[in-house]
Amino acid sequence: AARPALFSGQLAAMARGPAPSLFLLCLAAARPLFTDAVLEFSLGMYGPFTSRDVRFLAAGVLFDLDFRKNFNASLAERFGPPIINIPDLHPDLRIKLQMCDSNSDTEIGMRCALSLLQGQNGYDAVSGLVGGLHS
């Protein structure tokens, strides 16, 4: 199955940046701590999704989808193999991605980030936070 070229190229370009490398390093460091149970943690992402560029939101959705293709065979069959292949990925690791829109406003961005970190948005508190272009 062919991948949409626009998103494949964008996600592959993101994989060459410092953030994915740091993420993979954290996964490798935590690997000995994993047990036979499913390990889930929440990751928060915020940015100016509506005010600046909806492609920030698309990148978050694509990260989530591409990560799940590493262990979900039906997703990989439907959309193709992962663009970012994570070697030695624990088969029971799950990341729940939560996204929040800062609308390019510092006050909204801070409230958004704090609500993700403190679990005040109706979901579990996130273990880490990525994003924040200028708000």
Side-chain angles (χ1 to χ4, degrees):
R3 291 185 216 130
L6 170 70
F7 294 127
S8 296
Q10 288 175 343
L11 197 56
M14 289 172 20
R16 292 188 292 270
S21 301
L22 179 61
F23 178 71
L24 294 177
L25 179 64
C26 291
L27 286 179
R31 183 159 168 70
L33 304 174
F34 298 158
T35 64
D36 290 336
V38 172
L39 176 69
E40 287 188 353
F41 71 93
S42 296
L43 182 64
M45 176 184 174
Y46 81 102
F49 303 140
T50 55
S51 59
R52 180 84 172 203
D53 196 336
V54 74
R55 289 181 288 185
F56 291 122
L57 179 61
V61 171
L62 289 172
F63 161 78
D64 184 49
L65 181 66
D66 196 62
F67 178 78
R68 288 188 287 138
K69 289 192 297 183
N70 281 282
F71 54 83
N72 187 322
S74 65
L75 279 176
E77 182 179 316
R78 183 172 180 193
F79 297 109
I83 297 167
I84 302 171
N85 190 22
I86 303 173
D88 298 324
L89 179 66
H90 192 284
D92 295 323
L93 174 66
R94 301 297 181 264
I95 296 177
K96 297 187 295 185
L97 183 64
Q98 299 179 36
M99 293 185 268
C100 190
D101 183 21
S102 68
N103 197 35
S104 294
D105 182 284
T106 304
E107 186 175 326
I108 293 172
M110 286 301 296
R111 266 190 276 147
C112 175
L114 288 173
S115 72
L116 290 170
L117 290 167
Q118 296 174 347
Q120 296 176 341
N121 56 354
Y123 298 98
D124 294 335
V126 298
S127 301
L129 187 64
V130 296
L133 179 69
H134 61 265
S135 53

